[in-house]
Amino acid sequence: MPATASGPSLLVVDDEPDLLTLYELTLNKSGHRVAAASDLAQARALLATQRFDALITDMRLPDGLGLELVRELAQAGRPEKTIVVTAYGSAENAVQALKAGAFDYLTKPVEPAQLRAAVANALQAALAPGNAVAPQPAAGAGLGRGEESEPATDEPRPSPAPAAGPSDDQGEKSEPTDPDLAPLVGSSPAMCALRERVQRVARSMAPVLVLGESGTGKELVARALHRCSHRAGGPFVAVNCGAIPDTLLEAEFFGVRKGAYTGANAHREGYFQAAAGGTLFLDEIGDLPLAMQVKLLRAVQERRVRSLGATDDEATDVRLISATHLDLAVAVREGRFRQDLYYRLNVIDLHLPPLRERLADLPELAAALLQRLSERSGQRTPPVLSAVALERLARHPFHGNVRELENLLERALALHPGPVLDAEAVGAPPSSALSPVATAATATAATAATAATADSPDEHAPTREQLQSWLNQHRWNQSRTARHLGWTLAKLRYWMQRHGLADTSLPQ
């Protein structure tokens, strides 16, 4: 069927004549030129003779699957954005389509408004700057302070760390990078690969799951995805799923209609409505209770939500990015996370390396953080780290990753003013030696063992008699005894347990 109208050109492939006619009429009214095909053979013939701005194809066709067209276009490097139409409830097909390279998917029955919105997004993405050119890995980027949720906002916040590299005495300066990726500081292979993947992934509507330990910068990656996408002009709404009481989750996510409950005096938007036309970032998605996971699955799968107190659904238009520090595959096996929701969210995954696995980025990352911290405190020139200080930082375990590094540097700036920060300035406070994944039982023992070797006043283990004498001096008040010795309470209890001294040993 020949193309009509004079706007962007679209190819629609469907074997149902009624649906094909509906799609044509809907898109013609929007000013698009539409060519139609009823099977793969006709679609291939049209694609062989002309270019289109976008392709809309049904999943199942008489002579094969619409996914074949998606893969063929991707392999040929064709510029057409593809939208796959799947049957109601066919979650696996939608995930397959996105993983095959489809820009977006629609679920039958397709409403005209949904079709127009999906096509508009695809055309906007096709015209986005740099879309036709394969991205080049940028050198010079690392994660600044990450994984912090913030209230919903319509504009991305300023970059938490500048793209500039370290000063000359701390390493070579990095090559300039895309400003949208500026917060991702680091020149290590892992960071270069991450930035390249972010640029590729940002072009589609596929849900993204960002995985990494706490403090690695998962929200920074989500913001970079938003800035690099065709939705950069829309809102970026960040939500910490673990910070919302269970009883408020549905209202916060989907909104409330006036009169839905006592005190609901006005309509209020939820996160899905607030993020319309932009990106919704669900941080710590693994903390959602199972009851809410069911409702979120429907919103993700059908792209429709129902506000509290409403009797009908409303369409949503958001790019969904999720993040967690948990292993969701394990949570699925243990029954704490729904498998169908996991597959819906994990269409594309991004793994963030912990800081201890990219220590080569430490000089550049520290310089960027010091620059930002100095600007925040009103200092004109940021201090630099001495070589000895960098060596000491490189030996630090950094269980809290980049967030812990930022806290150490902020403490150093406050307590050690001057143009150069030495090893003493970046010494970690005692509490930082604890691993966040340590259990309550092992954490106390680990702290005591560390204290016994690191901060013992005479660097020798006390004898049982010495320890009993010190306790007697303070009438067995453990807190007072520990303060007198300059020990932590955990260290004192460790040695009491080691020598078999307990409260029952108190002289009668």
Side-chain angles (χ1 to χ4, degrees):
M1 189 175 296
T4 59
S6 58
S9 60
L10 310 174
L11 174 57
V12 181
V13 188
D14 201 302
D15 61 329
E16 297 185 39
D18 292 343
L19 285 179
L20 205 54
T21 301
L22 174 62
Y23 297 159
E24 282 189 272
L25 291 174
T26 299
L27 297 171
N28 280 332
K29 287 181 180 179
S30 299
H32 303 307
R33 292 181 293 127
V34 181
S38 58
D39 55 31
L40 289 177
Q42 291 183 20
R44 287 180 176 128
L46 287 168
L47 288 166
T49 59
Q50 56 184 300
R51 297 276 180 172
F52 296 91
D53 295 299
L55 165 70
I56 304 163
T57 179
D58 193 16
M59 173 66 81
R60 299 188 181 279
L61 297 168
D63 52 349
L65 295 176
L67 285 183
E68 296 178 38
L69 289 177
V70 176
R71 294 191 181 101
E72 289 167 9
L73 290 175
Q75 291 170 0
R78 293 278 294 254
E80 289 91 345
K81 297 294 182 181
T82 54
I83 300 172
V84 177
V85 181
T86 67
Y88 175 82
S90 55
E92 292 183 4
N93 287 341
V95 171
Q96 285 180 355
L98 293 171
K99 288 188 174 181
F103 172 78
D104 204 352
Y105 71 92
L106 294 171
T107 303
K108 293 181 179 179
V110 179
E111 295 184 2
Q114 286 181 300
L115 179 62
R116 286 192 293 268
V119 169
N121 285 331
L123 295 176
Q124 185 180 2
L127 297 174
N131 181 68
V133 180
Q136 298 298 319
L143 295 175
R145 190 180 185 110
E147 216 188 38
E148 295 180 355
S149 294
E150 63 178 30
T153 174
D154 286 349
E155 296 182 1
R157 65 182 176 186
S159 298
S167 58
D168 293 340
D169 62 342
Q170 294 187 35
E172 295 183 1
K173 199 162 186 173
S174 305
E175 294 294 327
T177 186
D178 185 334
D180 293 330
L181 299 173
L184 307 184
V185 181
S187 303
S188 63
M191 289 306 299
C192 290
L194 176 64
R195 287 193 297 274
E196 183 183 9
R197 188 166 171 83
V198 165
Q199 285 183 309
R200 291 202 314 268
V201 169
R203 299 175 180 181
S204 81
M205 286 285 290
V208 177
L209 180 61
V210 185
L211 302 169
E213 297 178 6
S214 294
T216 50
K218 294 188 284 294
E219 185 176 344
L220 289 183
V221 171
R223 289 182 177 276
L225 282 167
H226 175 71
R227 291 191 181 104
C228 291
S229 74
H230 65 285
R231 292 177 165 255
F236 178 92
V237 178
V239 181
N240 188 334
C241 298
I244 307 172
D246 293 358
T247 54
L248 299 179
L249 280 169
E250 188 172 358
E252 293 296 317
F253 272 68
F254 307 136
V256 178
R257 291 290 181 89
K258 182 179 179 180
Y261 52 80
T262 303
N265 300 321
H267 296 325
R268 181 165 60 84
E269 287 186 338
Y271 298 132
F272 274 87
Q273 292 91 342
T279 302
L280 177 59
F281 174 55
L282 301 180
D283 198 7
E284 297 304 344
I285 189 72
D287 291 340
L288 276 183
L290 285 169
M292 187 60 195
Q293 291 178 28
V294 177
K295 296 168 183 173
L296 178 60
L297 173 65
R298 183 175 184 276
V300 175
Q301 181 169 304
E302 307 303 331
R303 295 189 177 176
R304 304 185 68 83
V305 298
R306 179 176 298 181
S307 301
L308 278 179
T311 57
D312 53 0
D313 297 339
E314 58 181 304
T316 62
D317 177 26
V318 300
R319 168 76 181 277
L320 194 63
I321 302 175
S322 307
T324 181
H325 69 282
L326 301 175
D327 188 335
L328 288 187
V330 173
V332 168
R333 290 197 297 270
E334 295 176 351
R336 294 182 286 111
F337 201 85
R338 290 183 62 94
Q339 185 179 46
D340 44 9
L341 180 59
Y342 172 65
Y343 288 131
R344 271 294 188 179
L345 299 176
N346 192 30
V347 175
I348 299 174
D349 56 14
L350 292 175
H351 291 265
L352 274 64
L355 181 56
R356 62 184 175 276
E357 293 181 6
R358 57 182 188 99
L359 290 177
D361 293 331
L362 193 57
E364 186 178 354
L365 185 55
L369 289 171
L370 286 171
Q371 176 72 38
R372 185 174 74 87
L373 292 169
S374 298
E375 291 175 355
R376 192 169 69 186
S377 61
Q379 291 182 236
R380 292 185 178 181
T381 304
V384 296
L385 291 171
S386 67
V388 178
L390 279 172
E391 289 178 6
R392 180 162 187 172
L393 285 176
R395 294 193 300 269
H396 190 74
F398 286 115
H399 299 299
N401 293 291
V402 180
R403 182 182 295 124
E404 183 176 355
L405 173 62
E406 182 175 10
N407 290 340
L408 284 175
L409 294 177
E410 188 170 14
R411 175 174 174 268
L413 279 177
L415 299 179
H416 300 270
V420 178
L421 297 176
D422 56 15
E424 181 185 358
V426 297
S431 60
S432 67
L434 282 176
S435 168
V437 297
T439 62
T442 59
T444 300
T447 305
T450 302
T453 58
D455 67 349
S456 177
D458 56 3
E459 298 184 355
H460 294 286
T463 64
R464 189 179 194 279
E465 291 71 22
Q466 283 179 320
L467 191 58
Q468 190 166 16
S469 172
W470 294 332
L471 287 165
N472 287 336
Q473 290 177 23
H474 298 282
R475 301 185 60 82
W476 283 71
N477 185 309
Q478 296 177 21
S479 298
R480 194 178 302 155
T481 304
R483 282 197 300 271
H484 173 75
L485 296 173
W487 290 359
T488 63
L489 188 58
K491 177 180 176 179
L492 175 63
R493 288 174 176 169
Y494 169 81
W495 284 113
M496 288 177 65
Q497 183 180 13
R498 182 82 173 266
H499 290 305
L501 295 174
D503 290 346
T504 54
S505 302
L506 181 65
Q508 300 297 323

